[in-house]
Amino acid sequence: MIDFMTVVFRSFGIVALVLSLGACRGAKFESGSMEPTIHQGDVVTINHTAYLNSDPQRWDVAAYEDEDTHGNSWCHRIVGMPGETIDLRDGFVIIDSVKLEYPAKIGKVRYSALPAGTPTKIHLPYLIPKDCYFVLGDNTSDAIDSRYLGAIKRSDIRGRIEGK
């Protein structure tokens, strides 16, 4: 005879398994905007529960949607946090007038500002609004990111890219 606690623990295990199966999903990356980190055609894993109990962190690659993406999911690297002033100069990210050191995990990526006269919703330096993040593609010459669209709302972030 199975006791009550055994049934509860087994049921919890089944529920946890079902939830975890929906938490991470694969998606084919159709853009060159994150090269060399993610190549066009790579299949990436999106962890849809990564930000349920924590906020996105600088250097995470986040999947997001918003009114400008027309129902498509995009993924770019988070480089600017809510309330910071960001600028891009000489291949570096400048936050609140301090040049950021790039972490080893992003290799030799260098972020650049847009050429003068490029149509954009923002101008650098840019104050990132509350509850928003500034995202950049690792291949800034081929990325439609926050330089064009402005900051991404926290509520539009769908998950974190965990791998390919």
Side-chain angles (χ1 to χ4, degrees):
M1 184 164 140
I2 301 174
D3 67 0
F4 176 73
M5 291 308 290
T6 302
V7 171
V8 168
F9 284 119
R10 284 186 182 165
S11 298
F12 178 75
I14 292 170
V15 170
L17 175 63
V18 169
L19 289 175
S20 68
L21 290 175
C24 293
R25 287 186 226 132
K28 188 172 183 181
F29 196 71
E30 299 293 343
S31 166
S33 67
M34 283 299 295
E35 290 184 2
T37 307
I38 303 170
H39 296 280
Q40 189 171 2
D42 281 353
V43 175
V44 297
T45 302
I46 303 170
N47 181 344
H48 292 278
T49 62
Y51 302 126
L52 288 180
N53 296 312
S54 65
D55 289 323
Q57 301 297 305
R58 188 181 327 274
W59 308 121
D60 284 356
V61 178
Y64 64 93
E65 298 174 13
D66 70 1
E67 63 271 3
D68 292 319
T69 63
H70 307 291
N72 295 315
S73 291
W74 297 80
C75 73
H76 291 116
R77 191 173 303 281
I78 295 172
V79 296
M81 308 300 282
E84 294 179 335
T85 298
I86 189 167
D87 200 358
L88 301 169
R89 281 185 263 143
D90 303 321
F92 289 96
V93 176
I94 313 295
I95 299 291
D96 298 331
S97 301
V98 176
K99 180 174 80 172
L100 289 184
E101 293 297 322
Y102 293 163
K105 70 180 177 181
I106 67 170
K108 297 182 187 243
V109 170
R110 293 295 174 256
Y111 299 108
S112 61
L114 294 171
T118 303
T120 178
K121 288 186 175 181
I122 67 153
H123 298 286
L124 296 173
Y126 174 73
L127 176 61
I128 303 167
K130 178 182 173 185
D131 295 326
C132 292
Y133 296 84
F134 197 92
V135 298
L136 291 173
D138 284 356
N139 179 4
T140 54
S141 65
D142 187 30
I144 298 175
D145 50 29
S146 287
R147 297 168 306 152
Y148 290 95
L149 306 172
I152 302 301
K153 295 176 190 169
R154 171 67 173 90
S155 60
D156 291 336
I157 296 176
R158 302 293 180 244
R160 180 177 60 222
I161 303 301
E162 297 288 335
K164 39 182 185 168

